[in-house]
Amino acid sequence: MRLRLLGIQGATSFELVSAATAKLSGKELIAALATTNLTNKERERILIEHGLSGAVLKTSMQTLAQSTANTTATVTTGALTTATSGLSAAFRGLWNVIKAHPIMTIIATVTMAISLFEQLRQQTEEASREATQNAVNGANDLKNSLDDIDSYIRACLKRKNCTKKSKVVI
């Protein structure tokens, strides 16, 4: 796929992503931006640099948000599938040992319970850490948007020419 050649998966540099996506079309651009770790404001800025505005920009940002969420879900599902496969193989091996040595049944049961609880703890910790980071990023984006709106309103009130026809440009 062409996007793999761009080398921007997980990129956090606005300049790198902007340069790498300069010649992409709309769908390619959104797909490429979904693989980066840029903030929503940086992604929006790149879309604006590509000439998107108004409803098209809003729709593109919504598509990008959905694409990012889908990518995160796919990665998480893949990681859980891998963990489950590894655990299944371990249990098959454990079962063979238990069949060969019945006295190991008690030890194996205790070990298996500890292993399951440890794996559950690790997955819960990782999910919690990721959810916290996503919440912090979302809150920061929201705060920045609110700050932009606040500064616009303050500037408008200073000029004393606020009308219903004034456009909010963020």
Side-chain angles (χ1 to χ4, degrees):
M1 179 176 207
R2 183 176 174 196
L3 295 179
R4 294 209 184 274
L5 300 176
L6 293 176
I8 60 171
Q9 287 73 25
T12 57
S13 168
F14 173 81
E15 290 77 18
L16 169 74
V17 174
S18 182
T21 60
K23 295 183 180 180
L24 296 181
S25 68
K27 288 182 180 181
E28 291 173 330
L29 176 63
I30 290 171
L33 288 177
T35 66
T36 68
N37 289 336
L38 296 178
T39 65
N40 283 338
K41 283 211 175 271
E42 290 171 326
R43 289 175 175 174
E44 184 175 8
R45 193 168 139 204
I46 289 174
L47 290 172
I48 290 171
E49 286 177 0
H50 278 77
L52 277 69
S53 63
V56 174
L57 176 63
K58 183 179 179 182
T59 303
S60 296
M61 287 299 292
Q62 290 169 344
T63 302
L64 187 55
Q66 183 62 43
S67 179
T68 302
N70 289 346
T71 301
T72 301
T74 301
V75 169
T76 302
T77 302
L80 292 176
T81 300
T82 302
T84 302
S85 298
L87 193 58
S88 295
F91 281 136
R92 281 191 299 273
L94 181 61
W95 184 247
N96 289 334
V97 170
I98 290 171
K99 287 192 300 187
H101 305 285
I103 193 125
M104 295 293 290
T105 303
I106 294 172
I107 296 170
T109 303
V110 170
T111 304
M112 183 173 43
I114 291 170
S115 174
L116 286 173
F117 283 118
E118 180 61 21
Q119 188 173 13
L120 178 63
R121 184 191 65 77
Q122 287 175 352
Q123 289 177 352
T124 304
E125 228 175 66
E126 179 64 29
S128 174
R129 190 175 18 252
E130 187 175 318
T132 301
Q133 185 61 42
N134 287 342
V136 167
N137 290 344
N140 287 339
D141 287 347
L142 181 60
K143 181 188 178 303
N144 291 339
S145 294
L146 289 174
D147 288 345
D148 290 346
I149 292 170
D150 182 56
S151 63
Y152 172 79
I153 291 172
R154 288 180 189 276
C156 185
L157 291 174
K158 251 185 192 174
R159 292 190 315 261
K160 295 182 182 181
N161 66 347
C162 295
T163 65
K164 290 182 181 178
K165 293 181 181 178
S166 295
K167 266 190 171 177
V168 175
V169 179
I170 298 174

